[in-house]
């Protein structure tokens, strides 16, 4: 991160679209990077962006994408790992930021889709819609390479840094409340077995 870069805040960041950004991210993955999709809309869009054996789709529990991704990143340090999560979900697991910072896996990137709402359960407002800045929280927890995406091009730039440079990284994107482009097939056993095969822990 350059010191000359203008500081981007949640307020100054453009409002982007999760479906579009997820597709942009997935299109960049050429080295069997693992992607852990958090509950709900986040993993629905990951599913809709094209299923990959290295994708894990978390069903049911909020805030577990990052802890799962951390485990994968530690177990397989040669593999880049992305965790995708909604703001409501990560707000339930803020301790995770400190754990990631303390563990400091170079191969881990966390992406937070911040729509300021628990959208899937009725768009109740989350704290980020009022006062909480996820990037500031992450930095305070020790994740120094945490940044808002100013716009789509900047999101791509931050993904490039995560793919090419040493992490841990956190990219926060302010997003709109458009519904996701698909729905994940609800078969947890199949998801687990596919993922294990995808990351080479099962034949
Ligand atoms: C521990 C727990 N509490 C509540 C729920 C119900 N629930 C499922 S998804 C969700 C909202 C998720 O919000 P966010 O992560 O911001 O994603 P969005 O729906 O906005 O895409 C809630 C409250 C749950 N699954 N698990």
């Amino acid at each position: 991160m350059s010191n000359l870069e203008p500081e981007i805040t949640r307020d100054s960041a453009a409002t982007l679209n999760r479906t579009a950004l997820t597709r942009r991210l997935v299109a960049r993955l050429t080295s069997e990077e693992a992607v852990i999709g958090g509950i709900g809309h986040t993993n629905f869009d990951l599913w809709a962006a094209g299923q990959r054996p290295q994708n894990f789709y978390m069903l049911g529990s909020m805030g577990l994408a990052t802890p799962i991704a951390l485990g994968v990143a530690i177990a397989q340090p040669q593999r880049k790992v992305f965790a995708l999560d909604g703001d409501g979900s990560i707000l339930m697991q803020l301790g995770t930021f400190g754990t990631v910072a303390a563990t400091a896996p170079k191969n881990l990137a966390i992406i937070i889709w911040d729509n300021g709402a628990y959208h899937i359960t009725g768009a109740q407002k989350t704290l980020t819609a009022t006062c909480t800045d996820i990037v500031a929280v992450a930095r305070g927890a020790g994740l120094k390479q945490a940044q808002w995406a100013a716009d789509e091009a900047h999101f791509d730039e931050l993904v490039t840094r995560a793919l090419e440079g040493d992490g841990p990284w956190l990219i926060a994107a302010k997003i709109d409340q458009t519904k996701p482009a698909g729905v994940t097939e609800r078969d947890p056993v199949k998801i687990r077995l596919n993922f294990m095969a995808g990351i080479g822990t099962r034949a």
Side-chain angles (χ1 to χ4, degrees):
M1 219 184 306
S2 151
N3 290 335
L4 299 174
E5 230 167 347
E7 192 59 40
I8 302 142
T9 63
R10 189 180 192 278
D11 285 341
S12 67
T15 301
L16 305 173
N17 176 263
R18 183 188 47 238
T19 303
L21 294 186
T22 305
R23 288 185 169 148
R24 290 176 92 90
L25 170 71
V26 170
R28 303 286 302 284
L29 305 178
T30 54
S31 304
E32 302 196 351
E33 298 87 348
V35 185
I36 316 301
I39 179 174
H41 289 162
T42 296
N43 85 56
F44 292 179
D45 265 333
L46 179 62
W47 180 273
Q51 293 139 56
R52 309 165 57 249
Q54 295 81 24
N55 288 358
F56 183 77
Y57 306 92
M58 183 64 224
L59 302 170
S61 299
M62 295 170 75
L64 289 192
T66 299
I68 293 167
L70 174 61
V72 176
I74 291 170
Q76 299 193 342
Q78 305 314 321
R79 187 188 300 277
K80 291 276 179 188
V81 184
F82 287 83
L84 314 181
D85 229 338
D87 54 307
S89 292
I90 200 65
L91 283 167
M92 284 223 178
Q93 286 288 353
L94 289 179
T96 300
F97 286 163
T99 307
V100 171
T103 322
K106 292 179 179 169
N107 53 331
L108 179 61
I110 303 164
I111 298 182
I112 304 297
W113 306 130
D114 183 357
N115 57 12
Y118 302 99
H119 191 204
I120 199 169
T121 51
Q124 303 88 352
K125 272 190 187 179
T126 65
L127 293 172
T128 66
T130 317
C131 54
T132 303
D133 184 304
I134 287 293
V135 167
V137 172
R139 286 186 187 169
L143 291 174
K144 300 302 174 205
Q145 301 188 112
Q147 221 177 336
W148 284 101
D151 51 31
E152 274 199 1
H154 187 227
F155 176 81
D156 289 347
E157 230 177 85
L158 294 172
V159 168
T160 301
R161 286 185 210 176
L163 286 169
E164 294 176 359
D166 285 349
W169 304 93
L170 184 136
I171 304 168
K174 186 167 77 178
I175 58 158
D176 59 30
Q177 294 191 8
T178 309
K179 289 206 168 140
V183 178
T184 307
E185 188 189 324
R186 221 175 165 77
D187 188 338
V189 173
K190 196 164 141 193
I191 288 170
R192 178 173 65 90
L193 294 177
N194 281 347
F195 182 66
M196 288 174 75
I199 61 167
T201 57
R202 176 177 162 265

